[in-house]
Amino acid sequence: MSSSTFCELDLILVRHGTTQWNRERRYVGHADPGLLPDAEGELGALGQRLRGMCFAKVYSSDLRRCTETLRLAAPQLAAEAALDERLRELDFGAWDGETYESLKDMQLYRSWLDNPRCVTPPGGESLEHFEDRLNGFLNDLVKDVLQGEESDTAVIPAVLAVTHGGVIRQLAARTVPGLDFWSIQLPPAGMAGLRLRYEDGHITGSWLSSIIST
């Protein structure tokens, strides 16, 4: 893609359905719990929305709560999904499975809450690494989907990614001016979208508010 051209695509983001750990308000990062037994009921509205959409590419975090969400909500898309570890939630390390109540008296945890860029959960992932792997995913999208061709046409390709709440927040904060990590609150089984523009080596985005809820 030359510096004189730009490409656009719509990144449709789905947060996985509810797990028991979500219900118990536990940190769930690279741990791999499945969805609740009644997941199909929760995912019904999401499935209806996805059945009416066409995607140039489908991606999913490789963790079970995401692959189960895609299989139950849109089995027609699950077979073509590319599983990508970069779409995993932040790795909370030793804090995976813990709650705010169980950690609140730990000084390292409180320091992480105050300044997550300077503190890493024990055995977990730094915020810098989390950002880098998601930046890598965004940069590869233009090659995987648009293959270096201009997309300033009437048809903007759409890409689906089934992933995690923290990933969706970070992708929005990374691309949309004026948004920070806590600006986006998407419930389990919720759907949102980013219109991404790749130009001169830079990626910017806008929030597609018309599809935020299912």
Side-chain angles (χ1 to χ4, degrees):
M1 181 173 59
S2 70
S3 61
S4 61
T5 64
F6 70 88
C7 298
E8 288 184 315
L9 63 85
D10 288 345
L11 178 58
I12 309 304
L13 297 159
V14 167
R15 185 182 176 192
H16 63 78
T18 305
T19 70
Q20 186 63 34
W21 280 15
N22 294 137
R23 180 168 287 180
E24 295 170 354
R25 303 182 67 83
R26 297 181 183 276
Y27 284 102
V28 52
H30 285 199
D32 206 16
L35 300 180
L36 292 173
D38 59 352
E40 288 189 63
E42 178 186 46
L43 296 171
L46 173 63
Q48 290 179 4
R49 295 296 299 276
L50 290 174
R51 276 194 289 275
M53 304 177 74
C54 295
F55 299 103
K57 189 90 172 179
V58 178
Y59 298 91
S60 175
S61 161
D62 64 329
L63 295 178
R64 185 157 56 114
R65 55 194 183 274
C66 291
T67 59
E68 287 182 353
T69 294
L70 184 58
R71 177 176 57 82
L72 292 172
Q76 74 280 10
L77 299 175
E80 63 184 86
L83 303 186
D84 196 322
E85 292 184 359
R86 293 175 297 180
L87 290 173
R88 288 185 177 193
E89 184 60 276
L90 178 74
D91 185 358
F92 298 111
W95 296 342
D96 236 338
E98 298 292 338
T99 66
Y100 172 79
E101 289 299 319
S102 68
L103 295 171
K104 65 181 182 179
D105 296 325
M106 184 184 300
Q107 183 56 50
L108 182 65
Y109 173 69
R110 301 206 67 85
S111 298
W112 177 71
L113 291 179
D114 291 339
N115 195 347
R117 191 165 296 281
C118 295
V119 179
T120 299
E125 181 178 22
S126 69
L127 182 58
E128 181 180 11
H129 185 270
F130 181 58
E131 292 172 339
D132 285 347
R133 62 176 163 93
L134 292 180
N135 285 340
F137 174 76
L138 288 176
N139 288 327
D140 284 348
L141 273 182
V142 69
K143 294 180 287 187
D144 293 346
V145 178
L146 301 172
Q147 299 179 336
E149 297 183 6
E150 297 179 46
S151 66
D152 52 343
T153 66
V155 178
I156 296 176
V159 172
L160 176 67
V162 181
T163 183
H164 308 265
V167 171
I168 294 170
R169 289 189 179 111
Q170 177 58 33
L171 291 173
R174 160 68 176 80
T175 59
V176 182
L179 291 185
D180 63 28
F181 185 82
W182 297 110
S183 296
I184 304 303
Q185 299 292 334
L186 196 67
M191 181 166 66
L194 294 170
R195 176 156 293 170
L196 301 177
R197 181 183 178 105
Y198 295 74
E199 185 172 18
D200 297 334
H202 300 286
I203 305 171
T204 56
S206 56
W207 189 245
L208 299 178
S209 58
S210 62
I211 61 164
I212 284 180
S213 61
T214 58

